[in-house]
Amino acid sequence: MSIPIGMELAHTARVVGRAFDERLAAAGGSRPTWLVLLALKQGRTRNQRELAAAIGIRGATLTHHLNGMEAEGLVVRRRDPQNRRVHVLEMTEAGEAMFQRLAVAAREHDARLRAGFGEDELAQLRDLLVRLRRNVDDDASAASVV
């Protein structure tokens, strides 16, 4: 009897995710730190609410991560002068340096994942992963790549 595709995918996701987390840790960071810095770098968000939505982390969990990142000097939070209830986020110089280290780690991890695959195979893999997501997610954004 073959392993159900969902179980195989879940196992693969755990192994790949663990390897990525280890690569980020070796560079001095973590996946939440990478996600926050990447979103800030890409300019997709400026405040905590937008950031939580962009990276898929609940507000309270994000606040916990941001507290640590602010203590490390990676980000600063300021009140939005237009709306004092909103915190605007900015990456510091130390945050930029961390982003660069983690970007190298992310590229190395990606290269490791791509090893032994041709471009046609990678394109097919992307298509298959999108189809799997669409099979279980009715959201129109399921095809978007983070």
Side-chain angles (χ1 to χ4, degrees):
M1 182 165 115
S2 65
I3 297 172
I5 191 71
M7 289 181 64
E8 189 68 48
L9 182 61
H11 178 70
T12 300
R14 271 194 309 277
V15 171
V16 170
R18 188 176 310 120
F20 187 46
D21 291 343
E22 289 169 1
R23 180 80 60 161
L24 293 173
S30 65
R31 193 181 313 204
T33 298
W34 169 243
L35 292 173
V36 168
L37 295 177
L38 180 62
L40 291 174
K41 186 74 170 174
Q42 292 176 334
R44 294 188 303 179
T45 181
R46 283 192 31 107
N47 68 52
Q48 282 186 228
R49 184 177 305 121
E50 292 171 349
L51 180 61
I55 64 177
I57 293 179
R58 294 178 189 239
T61 303
L62 177 61
T63 299
H64 169 76
H65 292 302
L66 290 176
N67 288 343
M69 291 176 70
E70 196 168 33
E72 293 176 45
L74 303 176
V75 297
V76 293
R77 289 182 276 193
R78 298 185 195 342
R79 295 279 183 193
D80 184 339
Q82 312 302 334
N83 182 350
R84 302 282 300 155
R85 294 175 294 165
V86 174
H87 281 103
V88 176
L89 299 160
E90 297 175 18
M91 191 182 319
T92 64
E93 285 185 35
E96 176 66 31
M98 174 65 79
F99 172 81
Q100 295 303 326
R101 286 194 309 276
L102 296 180
V104 168
R107 284 190 298 272
E108 290 171 349
H109 180 70
D110 192 59
R112 184 176 176 196
L113 288 174
R114 291 167 169 267
F117 289 97
E119 288 304 316
D120 289 345
E121 290 173 306
L122 292 170
Q124 182 180 22
L125 177 58
R126 276 190 199 92
D127 290 344
L128 293 170
L129 290 171
V130 167
R131 285 172 53 195
L132 283 172
R133 270 197 315 270
R134 286 181 180 163
N135 285 346
V136 296
D137 188 356
D138 294 332
D139 187 15
S141 66
S144 68
V145 176
V146 176

